[in-house]
């Protein structure tokens, strides 16, 4: 069982998942999460491939999903320090600080709200790059390639690669690819035919979508939709 709601953290979502047993496949979505399993806090970095987990039936996970590029403002480290990894929070913050935060979240009636409050308290309010990061993400959602994004924001492609890697965990090309796949899957789940979903998301054709899904999600499109 999975539930989510918009977060007070701009662009984010608070979610709760109760495992029903068996394998769970988490697809790349351009986001990073702060996770609470009832005992420990963990940072889930942005993924370049699907992550597969097996959780005990009935176990609960609560998470704060940050908008693409926003987690580094809270964590104090660039996103590429976490790419394709799950990193315990006490590996990046002091043990004393993490113990204090853990005690607060453990005592909270709603852990998701406590995660939000933590993020709002520690986020760098003076981060002047937020608007730039949001613009890069918006252009990636529109399907722009790296050359176009760089030209739109006045960067060289090398500058864009460096800034995107720090903000998102990988370059703008990968971000565009991940968000395009998510858009196509969203349309398909809403009942749009795969071929039409592929075209509307910016793929050359359905086979192009199928190749991306197989590479990024690790399973064929039909199996993923089932």
């Amino acid at each position: 069982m999975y539930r989510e709601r918009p977060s007070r953290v701009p662009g984010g979502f608070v979610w709760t998942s109760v495992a029903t047993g068996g394998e769970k496949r988490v697809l790349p979505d351009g986001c990073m999460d702060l996770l609470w399993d009832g005992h420990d806090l963990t940072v889930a970095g942005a993924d370049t491939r699907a992550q597969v987990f097996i959780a005990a039936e009935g176990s609960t996970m609560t998470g704060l999903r940050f908008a693409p590029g926003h987690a580094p403002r809270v964590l104090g480290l660039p996103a590429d320090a976490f790419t394709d990894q799950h990193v315990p929070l006490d590996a990046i913050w002091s043990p004393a600080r993490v113990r204090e935060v853990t005690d607060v979240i453990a005592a909270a009636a709603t852990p998701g709200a406590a995660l939000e409050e933590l993020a709002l308290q520690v986020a760098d309010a003076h981060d002047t790059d937020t608007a730039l990061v949001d613009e890069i993400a918006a252009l990636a959602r529109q399907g722009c390639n790296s050359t176009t994004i760089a030209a739109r924001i006045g960067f060289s492609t090398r500058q864009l690669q460096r800034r995107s890697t720090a903000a998102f965990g990988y370059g703008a090309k990968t971000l565009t690819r991940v968000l395009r796949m998510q858009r196509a899957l969203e349309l398909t789940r809403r009942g749009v035919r795969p071929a039409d979903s592929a075209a509307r998301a910016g793929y050359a054709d359905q086979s192009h979508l199928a190749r991306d899904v197989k590479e990024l999600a690790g399973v064929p499109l039909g199996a993923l939709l089932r």
Side-chain angles (χ1 to χ4, degrees), residues 1-2 6 13 17 28-29 37 39 43 59 80 82 89 104 107 115 117 135 141 155 165 174 202 215 222-223:
M1 182 181 68
Y2 176 87
F13 286 86
S17 177
D29 59 5
D37 65 1
H39 302 282
V43 177
S59 61
D80 58 317
F82 307 95
L89 190 61
V104 170
L115 290 175
E117 190 60 34
E135 184 176 4
R141 284 193 186 91
F155 273 19
T165 300
T174 299
E215 186 170 345

Side-chain angles (χ1 to χ4, degrees), residues 1-3 15-21 24 55-62:
M1 182 181 68
Y2 176 87
R3 295 178 180 176
W15 57 266
T16 302
S17 177
V18 179
T20 56
K24 179 176 177 60
E57 186 173 357
S59 61
T60 299
M61 183 76 75
T62 302

Side-chain angles (χ1 to χ4, degrees), residues 19-69:
T20 56
E23 182 180 282
K24 179 176 177 60
R25 184 175 299 272
V26 179
L27 305 186
D29 59 5
C31 300
M32 295 176 60
D33 294 68
L34 182 58
L35 308 175
W36 170 250
D37 65 1
H39 302 282
D40 299 302
L41 287 160
T42 304
V43 177
D47 294 321
T48 60
R49 298 291 185 273
Q51 299 281 350
V52 179
F53 302 93
I54 298 177
E57 186 173 357
S59 61
T60 299
M61 183 76 75
T62 302
L64 171 59
R65 182 184 308 122
F66 295 97

Side-chain angles (χ1 to χ4, degrees), residues 19 26 43 72-73 110 131 133 148 193 210:
V26 179
V43 177
R73 300 180 60 220
T110 52
V133 168
T148 300
R193 293 189 313 150

